[in-house]
Amino acid sequence: MKPVNLTPDEEEIWARVDTFGNELVRDMGAALLQVDQLPEWMKETAVNHLCSKLAEARALACSWMNDRGEP
């Protein structure tokens, strides 16, 4: 959810953050298209690997919040 009453500078930064978020989703979609090309016996492992990477990304974001006193 986008914050309200942003300054022009904050608006620009928020737009970049939003773009990065959209790229994460797009890249996951692209990765899943690659998974579709794997043999059946490899697909579950590949998806679990992608989910592990997502968990790493979330942990990085949570660590960032904890380091800065965010809830």
Side-chain angles (χ1 to χ4, degrees), residues 27-39 43 46-47 50:
D27 289 349
M28 178 55 77
L32 290 170
L33 289 174
Q34 295 301 302
V35 170
D36 277 337
Q37 297 179 37
L38 291 170
K43 289 181 181 182
V47 169
L50 291 172

Side-chain angles (χ1 to χ4, degrees), residues 13-27:
I13 294 167
W14 183 264
R16 286 194 303 264
V17 168
D18 192 48
T19 297
F20 284 122
N22 290 335
E23 289 173 357
L24 287 169
V25 173
R26 184 204 64 217
D27 289 349

Side-chain angles (χ1 to χ4, degrees), residues 43-54 56:
K43 289 181 181 182
E44 182 178 357
T45 300
V47 169
N48 285 332
H49 176 70
L50 291 172
C51 289
S52 177
K53 292 299 179 179
L54 284 172
E56 286 179 36

